[in-house]
Amino acid sequence: MSTTSSAGDVSGRSYLRGQIARELTAALGAEHVSQNPADLQAQAADWSWYSKYLAFKGLEQPAADFAVRPANTAEVERVVQIASDYRIPIVTRGGGSGTQGGTFAPYGGISLDLSRLTDIVEIDEDSLIVTTGAGIDGPTLEKTLNEKGLTLAHYPGSYHLGATIGGFIAARGSGVVSTKYGKAENQVLQLEVVVAPGKTVTTLPVPSHAAGPDLLQSFVGSEGTLGVITQASLRVDPLPEARGFLSFSFPDIFAGIEAGRRIMTSRLRPAVIRLYDEADSYKLRDWVGTPFTGTLMVVMCDGSQELVDYETKAITAVVEGAGGASLGPDVGQTWWDGKYEPYAKGKLPQPPLMYGTFDQVARFQDLPAIYRAKKKVIEEQFGQYGARYTAHLSHWYDWGAMLYDRFYVDEPPADPAEAMDLHDRLWDAGILAGLENRAVLNDHHGVGIKLGRFMRPQYGTGFELMRQLKDAWDPDGIMNPGKLGFGPPRNSAW
């Protein structure tokens, strides 16, 4: 390319950048539009190992060109209109607590921070529904609900790391009491979503209907690739009158899985079942203070005192019948009181340690094979690196459970390129071992950019239908490009 042409390109892009900045500023106000590199880096960062590793190494995150903070749905509409006019990407950001690189902006564009959308619009105490802005964080909403004797009952590990309502829904998030109260997709009833080229869609007021396909669940889990969630109505529940705790030990993880299966297929409904293999039980002892007993299960039931008494008695009988040894209520209470300790400062894994959390989900009959296959491939195929594998099962369903398993490499390669290569090979080995044994890619952490390459092997022909939906709703491909395996923008002028 000639010097003249190159200079012209730089000048043209500089002019275009200035024009976009002026339009964004006119729409939102100068204080809510930034091109400051520090702001852009902060907007790109999340809790993924890759993001933390880049920061540890002093390297830049894949960042947007503009960071904006709209105040309401109308302003989000205007930002999406501007992005559509100039065919530049939009990367939606909630609290930045994701672990899959969902806030990375590999193609530049606009980082759309929803942290100002925090209004609680309505608390319908007759229907037990709250309607709120997508940018509100869990603890803030929960405090207001608790004052009315209500709870959203959605307490993820990221609860105190800034996770927002919009983030819960966009990534199909889950909390510690999901076994009884459900995940985000079970709690959300209605959404307001801004789609390209800057129009707002409001789904039906209830999700259970026979009025055609359900638009609601198309947006749930879409991670900003189909639209920007600006407002949500969610089911809330009364605060429980009582809680009851149980704990059990087992000869091995497989006996514990069978006990959990019997609880769930008996259609008992504890709020919590957590089952830890020996390696994770060691971590739990050090982080939370529970005693090490080999394979450990903790259970919590809540509701009326009568219901709690019935369920704890019935669950104890089921678990003991499956070979579990009762440890009494105190261990379960200790776990509940310290459930956020693993996420406390200094306890979450950090680089230079290499780590990754798979959290695949499967039917009961497939879980033992998945556990064996993943433990084997991580510890044997990567034995030269000292790779370790730990697991617990933390979200249980009528038909199966989620395996929250993690790899660790204490001393990864010092060279960033070699470290990333090892990181991706570990992910390839673990995810594919799960898929080969009928695991589903992810339970509640989302896909982001990190797991996009697995969407085609997971869905097969179904992935092409997803791509066609994406193409129809977002023809320029500007909505969070690079995520969910959908690839780059298609017609970008940026």
Side-chain angles (χ1 to χ4, degrees), residues 431-432 435 441 447 451-468 471 483-488:
I431 290 291
L432 295 176
L435 296 184
L441 179 59
V447 174
L451 304 185
R453 66 187 182 276
F454 301 113
M455 290 289 279
R456 193 181 302 277
Q458 171 72 89
Y459 282 99
T461 302
F463 185 63
E464 295 310 314
L465 297 179
M466 292 183 186
R467 288 182 62 92
Q468 290 170 26
D471 292 346
K483 316 302 164 51
L484 291 180
F486 287 142

mmCIF file of all heavy atoms in Angstrom, residues 431-432 435 441 447 451-468 471 483-488:
data_model
loop_
_atom_site.group_PDB
_atom_site.id
_atom_site.type_symbol
_atom_site.label_atom_id
_atom_site.label_comp_id
_atom_site.label_asym_id
_atom_site.label_seq_id
_atom_site.Cartn_x
_atom_site.Cartn_y
_atom_site.Cartn_z
ATOM 1 N N ILE A 431 -13.539 -30.442 27.330
ATOM 2 C CA ILE A 431 -14.868 -30.263 26.727
ATOM 3 C C ILE A 431 -15.205 -31.432 25.807
ATOM 4 O O ILE A 431 -16.312 -31.989 25.860
ATOM 5 C CB ILE A 431 -14.938 -28.943 25.949
ATOM 6 C CG1 ILE A 431 -14.906 -27.741 26.903
ATOM 7 C CG2 ILE A 431 -16.179 -28.899 25.065
ATOM 8 C CD1 ILE A 431 -16.156 -27.587 27.753
ATOM 9 N N LEU A 432 -14.272 -31.829 24.969
ATOM 10 C CA LEU A 432 -14.562 -32.906 24.024
ATOM 11 C C LEU A 432 -14.775 -34.235 24.735
ATOM 12 O O LEU A 432 -15.617 -35.043 24.310
ATOM 13 C CB LEU A 432 -13.454 -33.001 22.974
ATOM 14 C CG LEU A 432 -13.351 -31.774 22.051
ATOM 15 C CD1 LEU A 432 -12.176 -31.902 21.099
ATOM 16 C CD2 LEU A 432 -14.648 -31.572 21.270
ATOM 17 N N LEU A 435 -18.363 -33.953 25.772
ATOM 18 C CA LEU A 435 -19.293 -34.094 24.657
ATOM 19 C C LEU A 435 -19.368 -35.530 24.155
ATOM 20 O O LEU A 435 -20.448 -36.019 23.783
ATOM 21 C CB LEU A 435 -18.891 -33.167 23.504
ATOM 22 C CG LEU A 435 -18.938 -31.653 23.755
ATOM 23 C CD1 LEU A 435 -18.600 -30.894 22.469
ATOM 24 C CD2 LEU A 435 -20.287 -31.217 24.280
ATOM 25 N N LEU A 441 -22.480 -28.656 26.593
ATOM 26 C CA LEU A 441 -21.334 -27.752 26.674
ATOM 27 C C LEU A 441 -21.243 -26.962 27.963
ATOM 28 O O LEU A 441 -20.181 -26.883 28.572
ATOM 29 C CB LEU A 441 -21.402 -26.792 25.477
ATOM 30 C CG LEU A 441 -20.322 -25.740 25.351
ATOM 31 C CD1 LEU A 441 -18.953 -26.390 25.255
ATOM 32 C CD2 LEU A 441 -20.577 -24.882 24.103
ATOM 33 N N VAL A 447 -21.137 -18.990 26.990
ATOM 34 C CA VAL A 447 -20.207 -19.467 25.961
ATOM 35 C C VAL A 447 -19.142 -18.416 25.661
ATOM 36 O O VAL A 447 -17.956 -18.712 25.613
ATOM 37 C CB VAL A 447 -20.973 -19.838 24.677
ATOM 38 C CG1 VAL A 447 -20.016 -20.205 23.546
ATOM 39 C CG2 VAL A 447 -21.935 -20.994 24.955
ATOM 40 N N LEU A 451 -15.649 -20.408 24.335
ATOM 41 C CA LEU A 451 -16.192 -21.716 23.996
ATOM 42 C C LEU A 451 -16.905 -21.741 22.657
ATOM 43 O O LEU A 451 -17.520 -22.748 22.297
ATOM 44 C CB LEU A 451 -17.164 -22.170 25.096
ATOM 45 C CG LEU A 451 -16.607 -22.230 26.518
ATOM 46 C CD1 LEU A 451 -17.646 -22.810 27.471
ATOM 47 C CD2 LEU A 451 -15.329 -23.045 26.578
ATOM 48 N N GLY A 452 -16.817 -20.638 21.895
ATOM 49 C CA GLY A 452 -17.530 -20.572 20.628
ATOM 50 C C GLY A 452 -17.177 -21.695 19.680
ATOM 51 O O GLY A 452 -18.036 -22.177 18.921
ATOM 52 N N ARG A 453 -15.929 -22.146 19.701
ATOM 53 C CA ARG A 453 -15.503 -23.178 18.756
ATOM 54 C C ARG A 453 -16.167 -24.529 19.000
ATOM 55 O O ARG A 453 -16.105 -25.424 18.152
ATOM 56 C CB ARG A 453 -13.977 -23.330 18.803
ATOM 57 C CG ARG A 453 -13.415 -23.858 20.123
ATOM 58 C CD ARG A 453 -11.887 -23.783 20.097
ATOM 59 N NE ARG A 453 -11.230 -24.297 21.286
ATOM 60 C CZ ARG A 453 -11.032 -23.607 22.396
ATOM 61 N NH1 ARG A 453 -11.509 -22.362 22.482
ATOM 62 N NH2 ARG A 453 -10.387 -24.136 23.414
ATOM 63 N N PHE A 454 -16.807 -24.676 20.169
ATOM 64 C CA PHE A 454 -17.464 -25.951 20.469
ATOM 65 C C PHE A 454 -18.947 -25.952 20.103
ATOM 66 O O PHE A 454 -19.620 -26.979 20.237
ATOM 67 C CB PHE A 454 -17.326 -26.270 21.958
ATOM 68 C CG PHE A 454 -15.910 -26.360 22.429
ATOM 69 C CD1 PHE A 454 -15.391 -25.417 23.307
ATOM 70 C CD2 PHE A 454 -15.073 -27.374 21.993
ATOM 71 C CE1 PHE A 454 -14.081 -25.490 23.748
ATOM 72 C CE2 PHE A 454 -13.761 -27.464 22.417
ATOM 73 C CZ PHE A 454 -13.258 -26.510 23.299
ATOM 74 N N MET A 455 -19.483 -24.832 19.663
ATOM 75 C CA MET A 455 -20.920 -24.774 19.383
ATOM 76 C C MET A 455 -21.315 -25.665 18.203
ATOM 77 O O MET A 455 -22.357 -26.321 18.227
ATOM 78 C CB MET A 455 -21.348 -23.333 19.122
ATOM 79 C CG MET A 455 -21.321 -22.447 20.354
ATOM 80 S SD MET A 455 -22.636 -22.841 21.521
ATOM 81 C CE MET A 455 -24.013 -21.975 20.762
ATOM 82 N N ARG A 456 -20.498 -25.710 17.166
ATOM 83 C CA ARG A 456 -20.837 -26.567 16.023
ATOM 84 C C ARG A 456 -20.809 -28.049 16.398
ATOM 85 O O ARG A 456 -21.759 -28.776 16.099
ATOM 86 C CB ARG A 456 -19.913 -26.274 14.841
ATOM 87 C CG ARG A 456 -20.399 -26.895 13.534
ATOM 88 C CD ARG A 456 -19.411 -26.592 12.407
ATOM 89 N NE ARG A 456 -19.217 -25.170 12.217
ATOM 90 C CZ ARG A 456 -20.011 -24.405 11.510
ATOM 91 N NH1 ARG A 456 -21.082 -24.900 10.931
ATOM 92 N NH2 ARG A 456 -19.761 -23.108 11.377
ATOM 93 N N PRO A 457 -19.739 -28.543 17.045
ATOM 94 C CA PRO A 457 -19.798 -29.961 17.443
ATOM 95 C C PRO A 457 -20.900 -30.254 18.452
ATOM 96 O O PRO A 457 -21.429 -31.370 18.483
ATOM 97 C CB PRO A 457 -18.409 -30.234 18.027
ATOM 98 C CG PRO A 457 -17.785 -28.911 18.265
ATOM 99 C CD PRO A 457 -18.406 -27.975 17.283
ATOM 100 N N GLN A 458 -21.274 -29.273 19.275
ATOM 101 C CA GLN A 458 -22.355 -29.501 20.231
ATOM 102 C C GLN A 458 -23.703 -29.633 19.525
ATOM 103 O O GLN A 458 -24.477 -30.540 19.806
ATOM 104 C CB GLN A 458 -22.410 -28.337 21.223
ATOM 105 C CG GLN A 458 -23.622 -28.328 22.140
ATOM 106 C CD GLN A 458 -23.583 -29.410 23.191
ATOM 107 O OE1 GLN A 458 -23.054 -29.210 24.263
ATOM 108 N NE2 GLN A 458 -24.139 -30.568 22.888
ATOM 109 N N TYR A 459 -24.001 -28.735 18.592
ATOM 110 C CA TYR A 459 -25.338 -28.658 18.012
ATOM 111 C C TYR A 459 -25.484 -29.317 16.647
ATOM 112 O O TYR A 459 -26.608 -29.594 16.215
ATOM 113 C CB TYR A 459 -25.774 -27.190 17.901
ATOM 114 C CG TYR A 459 -26.219 -26.609 19.205
ATOM 115 C CD1 TYR A 459 -25.369 -25.823 19.978
ATOM 116 C CD2 TYR A 459 -27.498 -26.850 19.686
ATOM 117 C CE1 TYR A 459 -25.788 -25.287 21.182
ATOM 118 C CE2 TYR A 459 -27.929 -26.313 20.887
ATOM 119 C CZ TYR A 459 -27.064 -25.536 21.627
ATOM 120 O OH TYR A 459 -27.480 -25.012 22.834
ATOM 121 N N GLY A 460 -24.378 -29.531 15.931
ATOM 122 C CA GLY A 460 -24.489 -30.111 14.594
ATOM 123 C C GLY A 460 -25.303 -29.224 13.675
ATOM 124 O O GLY A 460 -25.106 -28.010 13.593
ATOM 125 N N THR A 461 -26.281 -29.822 12.978
ATOM 126 C CA THR A 461 -27.128 -29.073 12.051
ATOM 127 C C THR A 461 -27.874 -27.949 12.758
ATOM 128 O O THR A 461 -28.152 -26.899 12.166
ATOM 129 C CB THR A 461 -28.133 -30.022 11.376
ATOM 130 O OG1 THR A 461 -27.412 -31.056 10.699
ATOM 131 C CG2 THR A 461 -29.004 -29.277 10.376
ATOM 132 N N GLY A 462 -28.198 -28.142 14.024
ATOM 133 C CA GLY A 462 -28.906 -27.112 14.781
ATOM 134 C C GLY A 462 -28.155 -25.801 14.837
ATOM 135 O O GLY A 462 -28.776 -24.724 14.922
ATOM 136 N N PHE A 463 -26.816 -25.856 14.773
ATOM 137 C CA PHE A 463 -26.054 -24.615 14.823
ATOM 138 C C PHE A 463 -26.296 -23.770 13.581
ATOM 139 O O PHE A 463 -26.298 -22.542 13.655
ATOM 140 C CB PHE A 463 -24.559 -24.897 14.996
ATOM 141 C CG PHE A 463 -23.729 -23.658 15.166
ATOM 142 C CD1 PHE A 463 -23.913 -22.830 16.262
ATOM 143 C CD2 PHE A 463 -22.789 -23.297 14.217
ATOM 144 C CE1 PHE A 463 -23.164 -21.667 16.421
ATOM 145 C CE2 PHE A 463 -22.031 -22.142 14.359
ATOM 146 C CZ PHE A 463 -22.222 -21.326 15.460
ATOM 147 N N GLU A 464 -26.508 -24.412 12.436
ATOM 148 C CA GLU A 464 -26.791 -23.644 11.224
ATOM 149 C C GLU A 464 -28.120 -22.911 11.353
ATOM 150 O O GLU A 464 -28.271 -21.792 10.842
ATOM 151 C CB GLU A 464 -26.794 -24.577 10.002
ATOM 152 C CG GLU A 464 -25.443 -25.200 9.710
ATOM 153 C CD GLU A 464 -24.314 -24.174 9.655
ATOM 154 O OE1 GLU A 464 -24.503 -23.120 8.995
ATOM 155 O OE2 GLU A 464 -23.255 -24.407 10.269
ATOM 156 N N LEU A 465 -29.094 -23.514 12.020
ATOM 157 C CA LEU A 465 -30.360 -22.812 12.249
ATOM 158 C C LEU A 465 -30.143 -21.608 13.154
ATOM 159 O O LEU A 465 -30.752 -20.544 12.941
ATOM 160 C CB LEU A 465 -31.372 -23.769 12.881
ATOM 161 C CG LEU A 465 -31.794 -24.976 12.041
ATOM 162 C CD1 LEU A 465 -32.792 -25.832 12.818
ATOM 163 C CD2 LEU A 465 -32.394 -24.540 10.712
ATOM 164 N N MET A 466 -29.283 -21.751 14.165
ATOM 165 C CA MET A 466 -28.967 -20.612 15.027
ATOM 166 C C MET A 466 -28.301 -19.496 14.230
ATOM 167 O O MET A 466 -28.613 -18.315 14.408
ATOM 168 C CB MET A 466 -28.039 -21.049 16.162
ATOM 169 C CG MET A 466 -28.670 -21.979 17.171
ATOM 170 S SD MET A 466 -27.498 -22.335 18.496
ATOM 171 C CE MET A 466 -28.426 -23.552 19.417
ATOM 172 N N ARG A 467 -27.397 -19.859 13.339
ATOM 173 C CA ARG A 467 -26.716 -18.847 12.513
ATOM 174 C C ARG A 467 -27.710 -18.120 11.610
ATOM 175 O O ARG A 467 -27.612 -16.906 11.395
ATOM 176 C CB ARG A 467 -25.621 -19.500 11.668
ATOM 177 C CG ARG A 467 -24.400 -19.934 12.464
ATOM 178 C CD ARG A 467 -23.349 -20.513 11.539
ATOM 179 N NE ARG A 467 -22.905 -19.515 10.604
ATOM 180 C CZ ARG A 467 -21.850 -18.698 10.803
ATOM 181 N NH1 ARG A 467 -21.178 -18.779 11.934
ATOM 182 N NH2 ARG A 467 -21.490 -17.828 9.900
ATOM 183 N N GLN A 468 -28.672 -18.863 11.081
ATOM 184 C CA GLN A 468 -29.678 -18.232 10.225
ATOM 185 C C GLN A 468 -30.538 -17.248 11.016
ATOM 186 O O GLN A 468 -30.910 -16.183 10.504
ATOM 187 C CB GLN A 468 -30.537 -19.313 9.569
ATOM 188 C CG GLN A 468 -29.797 -20.124 8.524
ATOM 189 C CD GLN A 468 -30.579 -21.329 8.053
ATOM 190 O OE1 GLN A 468 -31.809 -21.340 8.105
ATOM 191 N NE2 GLN A 468 -29.882 -22.351 7.590
ATOM 192 N N ASP A 471 -28.401 -14.194 11.521
ATOM 193 C CA ASP A 471 -28.300 -13.421 10.282
ATOM 194 C C ASP A 471 -29.574 -12.625 10.009
ATOM 195 O O ASP A 471 -29.519 -11.497 9.513
ATOM 196 C CB ASP A 471 -28.016 -14.348 9.098
ATOM 197 C CG ASP A 471 -26.621 -14.966 9.157
ATOM 198 O OD1 ASP A 471 -25.793 -14.485 9.955
ATOM 199 O OD2 ASP A 471 -26.378 -15.930 8.410
ATOM 200 N N LYS A 483 -18.850 -13.938 19.546
ATOM 201 C CA LYS A 483 -19.354 -14.720 20.673
ATOM 202 C C LYS A 483 -20.312 -15.807 20.170
ATOM 203 O O LYS A 483 -20.908 -15.707 19.110
ATOM 204 C CB LYS A 483 -20.053 -13.812 21.685
ATOM 205 C CG LYS A 483 -19.306 -12.520 21.986
ATOM 206 C CD LYS A 483 -17.894 -12.738 22.515
ATOM 207 C CE LYS A 483 -17.023 -11.495 22.458
ATOM 208 N NZ LYS A 483 -17.578 -10.296 23.039
ATOM 209 N N LEU A 484 -20.467 -16.852 20.964
ATOM 210 C CA LEU A 484 -21.342 -17.994 20.645
ATOM 211 C C LEU A 484 -20.954 -18.679 19.331
ATOM 212 O O LEU A 484 -21.755 -19.394 18.736
ATOM 213 C CB LEU A 484 -22.811 -17.565 20.576
ATOM 214 C CG LEU A 484 -23.487 -17.148 21.883
ATOM 215 C CD1 LEU A 484 -24.941 -16.762 21.618
ATOM 216 C CD2 LEU A 484 -23.428 -18.254 22.914
ATOM 217 N N GLY A 485 -19.736 -18.452 18.861
ATOM 218 C CA GLY A 485 -19.282 -19.095 17.632
ATOM 219 C C GLY A 485 -19.833 -18.472 16.372
ATOM 220 O O GLY A 485 -19.683 -19.042 15.284
ATOM 221 N N PHE A 486 -20.442 -17.265 16.463
ATOM 222 C CA PHE A 486 -21.078 -16.662 15.300
ATOM 223 C C PHE A 486 -20.096 -15.915 14.395
ATOM 224 O O PHE A 486 -20.481 -15.477 13.310
ATOM 225 C CB PHE A 486 -22.199 -15.710 15.738
ATOM 226 C CG PHE A 486 -23.415 -16.412 16.260
ATOM 227 C CD1 PHE A 486 -24.117 -15.888 17.335
ATOM 228 C CD2 PHE A 486 -23.864 -17.588 15.686
ATOM 229 C CE1 PHE A 486 -25.249 -16.519 17.823
ATOM 230 C CE2 PHE A 486 -24.996 -18.234 16.169
ATOM 231 C CZ PHE A 486 -25.698 -17.693 17.226
ATOM 232 N N GLY A 487 -18.866 -15.737 14.816
ATOM 233 C CA GLY A 487 -17.866 -15.144 13.941
ATOM 234 C C GLY A 487 -17.885 -13.625 13.916
ATOM 235 O O GLY A 487 -18.592 -12.975 14.704
ATOM 236 N N PRO A 488 -17.127 -13.033 12.980
ATOM 237 C CA PRO A 488 -16.933 -11.574 12.939
ATOM 238 C C PRO A 488 -18.126 -10.853 12.330
ATOM 239 O O PRO A 488 -19.031 -11.492 11.775
ATOM 240 C CB PRO A 488 -15.701 -11.432 12.052
ATOM 241 C CG PRO A 488 -15.772 -12.602 11.126
ATOM 242 C CD PRO A 488 -16.325 -13.737 11.956
#
